[in-house]
Amino acid sequence: MEDAVVFGATGFIGRWTILHLLEQGRTVTAVVRRADGGLHAWLGEHGVPATRLTVVEGDLTVPGLGLDAAVEGPAGVRDVFNAAGVYRFGMEREEARAVNVEGALNVLRWAAARPGLRRLVHVSGYRVGLDPRPRHPLPEAELAALYRDKGAYEGSKAEGDAAVRVAAARLGVPLTVVNPSSVIGHSLTGEAGQYLGLAGLVRDLWTGRLPALPGGARTFVPVVTVDEFARFMAAVPEHDPEPGGLHWVLDPATPELPDLIRLLADHLGVRAPRVRVPVALIRRLPSALTGADPETLGFLTEDRYDTGSADRVAASAGLRRPPVADALRRWADRLVADRFGAAPAVRPGGFHDVAGSRTYLAGDRTSPRLVLLHGLPLDGDSWHNLLDELDADSRHDVLDEPDGTPASRRFGALVADLPGLGRSSPAAATSPEWLAELLGPVRTRPVIVAHSAAAAPALRYAAAQPDRVAALVLVSPFFLQRRPSALTRLLAGPLLGRAGADRLAAPLLGAAPPPESARRAVASAAAGLRRPGAARRTASALRAAHSPAERAALRTLLGGPVPVHLVVGELDPLTGDPGPVPVTVVAGAGHHPHLTHPAAVAEIVRRVLLGHEIMTGPLPSP
Ligand SMILES: NC(=O)c1ccc[n+]([C@@H]2O[C@H](COP(=O)([O-])OP(=O)(O)OC[C@H]3O[C@@H](n4cnc5c(N)ncnc54)[C@H](OP(=O)(O)O)[C@@H]3O)[C@@H](O)[C@H]2O)c1
């Protein structure tokens, strides 16, 4: 089989291109700057064996690319894919040119010297390759104007595009240029890898920092999913028989920008900006005032693009375009789950309509064995430590499948952010109504594990639907514990909104250094609390939870038909009488034992699951 060499192999586009080349049965050499093994691990996580992959070190800015002659292999190099580049805003001209212009030319010269070369596939960009008669080199005055107008990234991509096309014609290199629009996450999983440009706009929308939308009613920022684009890349050598092609790879059915933003705002449960600001006006205003990066404004046009030649290649390769609205929603789910690249999600979730709340939930919606409800001011990510413990602990193999699947995966766990808290939008419905709708599709009888304030909806749901719940595990049941002082409750609102992860960590987790996973949970909560209204809603939920009437009402529910198990930290003991309900005290823990002592809490949850093994089976058919 022919050899394919991929530059930029650790990048967003590069690694997906490699994945699809390997799927085609190609033998691939990946050129990376540091061979730390990350690519093999990533391919493994995506279920693609990397037996036909070789990883070599190289650098586009080094003469000869720093490549060993051995790269060539016995079969010789057939196809070269250049997906390397520096994609950043705010660079200096020379920093961008070194890779996007000189580096791209270095790849071209190296490819030109491969005797068996069939194709060089170069990734340009949908806004940069529009010139039908590219010129290179440009006189310095023109070059300076190009970089002044477009900025270093876009300027270098435009110069690089021209340089590569001119040099390929001169050297007789069989070149194909592919021009992707904004590359969004995978069409099925939403998995992303770039958080610039359009993703930055979605981040502003999500964090409430998009008071006005740049551009006009017809502004068009097309997208292409990374899998569609990478499959296209991998298909070029076989399905685009003639070199010399320039292909615009994007989805012409992408909604115009205001509609795209509205679609995502509805999906995420946030408000879309009603005001639009023309790009010409933004250009005249200081960026400190508008918050707009001048380098991104060039993408905000009403231009349309001819995808005809790309469509022919895709048709020949049997590639199908995924539905763009679904892909956009999945991408937005994943952007939020991964906190826009700040913290890759361990168990990525997404947004669903539950009782009028755009609810963020992860896991098994129909047959969970566990339902996990977080306390204040946390979100569903606070359960990851516990789930990791349940997954990792094989001591209780009586609960595990014969194939070794951990018990917690057998029935799955459903983790949801409560309405108005974490990532979920508020609902007019009460929390118990919301919980009833969340659990409506559930066909098993799960154990509900609720932390602190979430004990309230959990107890009320169990009281209303006792035959649908196997047991309740209430971790730090606030209504049986010391009330926070009135001052603490009063200050909670303003302080919560401004607290960073570090400032939140000490009061939540105590003085001892917390496990890394607990820090991640607190960082997720802190990021959520900075969103508009989140801290206020959390503080008011905190105040409502601690009213004496509410505490008394919840105590009466403890005697219901559903078995209840209480878990408290030694440092935050019960002050009220739980009656005959069993209580486990976690030594050394405070109010968040599932964060600071996850193994101990997992042990209790396992025991409860074991005790209710028969009860957690499927519900009888109605
Ligand atoms: N993503 C998009 O939406 C989009 C849209 C249009 C065009 N493009 C173009 O597509 C290309 C790839 O974009 P991407 O999103 O995949 O970017 P990316 O995730 O940042 O990947 C860039 C890749 O280039 C490599 N690289 C950077 N400098 C290098 C050097 N001196 N020598 C060797 N490798 C080097 C990086 O290696 P390290 O991991 O070592 O840094 C990385 O593997 C870029 O040219 C970009 O302009 C991207």
Side-chain angles (χ1 to χ4, degrees):
M1 192 55 73
E2 318 88 330
D3 269 344
V5 177
V6 179
F7 293 89
T10 51
F12 183 37
I13 290 172
R15 59 180 182 258
W16 281 101
T17 302
I18 289 174
L19 183 145
H20 291 299
L21 286 166
L22 290 171
E23 274 185 352
Q24 283 182 5
R26 299 287 303 266
T27 301
V28 180
T29 301
V31 183
V32 303
R33 286 197 283 186
R34 280 169 301 278
D36 59 2
L39 191 55
H40 277 99
W42 184 85
L43 288 164
E45 284 160 20
H46 291 75
V48 176
T51 41
R52 283 189 310 278
L53 174 72
T54 308
V55 178
V56 301
E57 293 195 2
D59 189 324
L60 262 62
T61 60
V62 171
L65 306 172
L67 288 178
D68 203 295
V71 163
E72 197 113 9
V77 174
R78 287 280 275 158
D79 301 315
V80 175
F81 298 83
N82 184 13
V86 279
Y87 179 22
R88 270 198 308 278
F89 300 123
M91 286 185 284
E92 293 299 325
R93 169 173 149 176
E94 285 317 313
E95 181 187 3
R97 287 194 80 255
V99 182
N100 294 345
V101 182
E102 298 303 336
L105 283 172
N106 286 341
V107 171
L108 181 125
R109 289 185 201 108
W110 182 84
R114 303 304 104 197
L117 184 74
R118 172 170 61 171
R119 195 66 56 89
L120 167 63
V121 183
H122 173 80
V123 183
S124 257
Y126 79 119
R127 299 283 311 153
V128 299
L130 294 160
D131 192 342
R133 272 181 293 281
R135 289 173 299 134
H136 189 265
L138 289 178
E140 174 52 32
E142 268 187 66
L143 210 54
L146 174 76
Y147 279 86
R148 198 176 49 241
D149 291 351
K150 294 189 181 293
Y153 169 68
E154 190 78 343
S156 67
K157 289 296 291 181
E159 189 192 352
D161 178 84
V164 165
R165 286 162 61 191
V166 168
R170 198 179 63 241
L171 299 174
V173 173
L175 172 73
T176 296
V177 177
V178 282
N179 294 314
S181 60
S182 288
V183 183
I184 64 168
H186 191 280
S187 61
L188 296 180
T189 64
E191 181 182 336
Q194 270 295 354
Y195 304 94
L196 298 170
L198 193 57
L201 208 60
V202 181
R203 179 175 41 226
D204 289 348
L205 177 73
W206 171 244
T207 53
R209 294 196 192 92
L210 192 65
L213 192 59
R218 302 225 47 216
T219 298
F220 182 55
V221 180
V223 300
V224 57
T225 65
V226 73
D227 45 321
E228 181 188 350
F229 182 65
R231 279 200 174 92
F232 184 91
M233 290 274 288
V236 164
E238 290 285 339
H239 295 276
D240 184 18
E242 288 303 316
L246 312 175
H247 302 302
W248 270 259
V249 190
L250 53 91
D251 192 335
T254 307
E256 283 159 345
L257 188 63
D259 294 333
L260 184 154
I261 291 294
R262 213 168 300 122
L263 180 147
L264 294 183
D266 289 349
H267 181 68
L268 299 173
V270 298
R271 198 177 298 165
R274 293 206 187 94
V275 181
R276 285 193 293 268
V277 189
V279 173
L281 179 60
I282 303 176
R283 280 193 201 283
R284 281 200 293 276
L285 295 170
S287 56
L289 189 69
T290 61
D293 188 326
E295 285 195 58
T296 61
L297 298 178
F299 294 89
L300 301 174
T301 76
E302 297 183 2
D303 295 351
R304 300 280 154 161
Y305 308 87
D306 180 358
T307 60
S309 68
D311 292 346
R312 285 189 287 281
V313 175
S316 159
L319 303 182
R320 291 250 178 84
R321 191 168 275 148
V324 67
D326 288 346
L328 281 164
R329 290 191 198 97
R330 288 182 184 135
W331 177 54
D333 279 345
R334 193 59 184 260
L335 288 175
V336 170
D338 290 341
R339 294 198 9 236
F340 294 83
V346 182
R347 293 173 179 79
F351 290 85
H352 301 260
D353 234 328
V354 181
S357 159
R358 292 300 298 167
T359 294
Y360 182 88
L361 54 91
D364 188 339
R365 269 211 89 177
T366 54
S367 52
R369 188 184 171 101
L370 286 174
V371 173
L372 300 150
L373 302 173
H374 63 88
L376 302 170
L378 299 165
D379 62 27
D381 285 8
S382 56
W383 293 115
H384 286 170
N385 309 9
L386 180 76
L387 289 172
D388 287 348
E389 288 291 341
L390 289 171
D391 282 350
D393 187 353
S394 57
R395 276 173 298 158
H396 300 263
D397 49 4
V398 60
L399 284 176
D400 291 344
E401 296 282 19
D403 67 357
T405 309
S408 62
R409 288 204 188 122
R410 183 164 56 165
F411 289 92
L414 172 61
V415 188
D417 286 8
L418 273 71
L421 303 173
R423 291 150 287 202
S424 297
S425 72
T430 63
S431 289
E433 287 165 350
W434 168 86
L435 188 53
E437 190 164 319
L438 176 76
L439 301 185
V442 167
R443 303 268 60 91
T444 41
R445 196 180 278 113
V447 169
I448 300 181
V449 183
H451 173 235
S452 192
L459 273 168
R460 290 198 167 97
Y461 176 77
Q465 313 234 28
D467 52 336
R468 292 181 66 91
V469 185
L472 294 178
V473 177
L474 305 182
V475 181
S476 301
F478 70 99
F479 60 95
L480 293 170
Q481 294 179 298
R482 198 169 53 84
R483 294 174 68 200
S485 74
L487 185 64
T488 313
R489 279 176 278 139
L490 200 70
L491 288 177
L495 277 186
L496 274 175
R498 271 179 265 129
D502 288 341
R503 276 184 61 191
L504 263 187
L508 292 186
L509 306 176
E516 182 47 37
S517 48
R519 289 198 146 276
R520 276 204 305 272
V522 174
S524 176
L529 287 166
R530 283 196 291 276
R531 295 177 57 230
R536 182 178 41 74
R537 288 194 295 272
T538 303
S540 81
L542 201 62
R543 275 194 294 277
H546 286 291
S547 85
E550 172 72 347
R551 291 165 68 94
L554 293 173
R555 274 199 297 269
T556 64
L557 292 178
L558 278 181
V562 174
V564 178
H565 300 252
L566 300 181
V567 181
V568 287
E570 182 191 16
L571 308 177
D572 189 18
L574 293 184
T575 54
D577 178 12
V581 173
V583 182
T584 307
V585 178
V586 179
H591 193 65
H592 300 84
H594 57 312
L595 287 180
T596 54
H597 298 70
V601 180
E603 186 59 36
I604 299 157
V605 171
R606 277 190 169 277
R607 264 194 275 128
V608 172
L609 281 170
L610 203 58
H612 299 280
E613 175 74 340
I614 298 154
M615 296 289 287
T616 57
L619 286 171
S621 312

